[in-house]
Amino acid sequence: RWPAVALLLMTAAGVWIVERFPRPRPLVVISAEPLDSLEGPQSFPTLSPDGSEVAFAWGGAGDARWGIYLMSITGGDPRPLTPAAGTDSGPAWSPDGTRIAFRHWTGSVEAVVVVPATGGAPLQIAETDGYLVAWTPDSQSVVFVVKSRKSAGFELWSVPAAGGEQHRISAPDQPVNPYERVGYSPDGTMLAYESWPAESEQPQIMVRKAGGGAARQVTALHSRPYGWAWTPDS
């Protein structure tokens, strides 16, 4: 009798272990193919909302000027989106895919500029002290970084994409990392950015509600993060 009970218990335990720790799935081999064969450095690639094009900054072949270019993800020749004066970087697509905002530097002014994704006249809407810009979920405003007027750090501000009054997003006591990205979640409910919490020597990723409120720290990193992104499910 007891051996039968023991065998039953061992069988049950074995089933539990198998169900609790399923066998790993086989690895899927993924190959990467170069999108282009352009000469010179490229940076800040970003896909269009529909996934058909990529916008990026390119220095060109032997050209010191960086411009914003568009290219189909199926390949082909890149087409310039910005004129030949100044240095452009950090393109960001509007969520509706109609416009691209970027950082434009002329040597004396670092500006936030918006241009139609199909091409057209660029519109300068603000001056910035940061490297990257972002869009609000409704595609109506652009978020950028400026030096605080009340503290030694940097703050997040927003400005209408068509130009107009600027609004501060972050508080002066929450210094923003001017060299990293800021971005709203795909569902438009949350805003993430890098900041220096009071007890941290490294910038940490902070998240707050899109409509405002206190930010909460979601990382505990001991070194600076270089790039981050929201998952598609926010």
Side-chain angles (χ1 to χ4, degrees):
R1 179 180 178 182
W2 289 111
V5 173
L7 179 61
L8 180 62
L9 291 176
M10 291 175 64
T11 302
V15 172
W16 180 84
I17 291 175
V18 171
E19 292 181 349
R20 182 69 181 273
F21 303 101
R23 288 176 295 180
R25 297 178 180 178
L27 295 177
V28 177
V29 178
I30 299 176
S31 61
E33 297 289 341
L35 179 63
D36 64 76
S37 58
L38 301 175
E39 296 182 20
Q42 304 147 46
S43 64
F44 302 106
T46 177
L47 284 173
S48 61
D50 64 4
S52 65
E53 291 184 292
V54 60
F56 60 97
W58 181 33
D63 186 1
R65 192 200 80 82
W66 284 75
I68 305 300
Y69 291 79
L70 295 182
M71 176 180 265
S72 169
I73 61 168
T74 59
D77 295 328
R79 62 181 178 91
L81 190 65
T82 55
T87 300
D88 306 321
S89 63
W93 291 86
S94 61
D96 62 10
T98 63
R99 290 171 290 183
I100 294 176
F102 58 93
R103 173 179 173 264
H104 175 73
W105 182 59
T106 62
S108 59
V109 175
E110 297 180 56
V112 179
V113 176
V114 173
V115 64
T118 55
L123 174 65
Q124 179 176 323
I125 57 176
E127 293 185 7
T128 181
D129 299 299
Y131 274 46
L132 300 172
V133 298
W135 288 83
T136 53
D138 59 6
S139 298
Q140 296 303 306
S141 297
V142 178
V143 179
F144 60 101
V145 177
V146 296
K147 291 181 179 178
S148 175
R149 301 183 182 94
K150 298 183 179 181
S151 68
F154 295 80
E155 300 171 350
L156 289 177
W157 286 66
S158 69
V159 60
E165 184 178 357
Q166 302 175 16
H167 299 276
R168 188 173 63 194
I169 296 176
S170 64
D173 59 350
Q174 298 174 343
V176 176
N177 182 0
Y179 308 110
E180 259 301 338
R181 68 181 62 251
V182 55
Y184 286 89
S185 59
D187 64 8
T189 63
M190 308 290 282
L191 174 67
Y193 57 92
E194 286 185 22
S195 177
W196 277 269
E199 300 179 356
S200 177
E201 295 182 355
Q202 296 293 338
Q204 306 292 335
I205 298 176
M206 313 293 288
V207 175
R208 47 154 274 193
K209 292 183 178 179
R216 60 185 177 88
Q217 180 179 336
V218 297
T219 58
L221 304 173
H222 299 289
S223 62
R224 174 186 164 188
Y226 286 88
W228 54 267
W230 283 95
T231 56
D233 61 1
S234 298

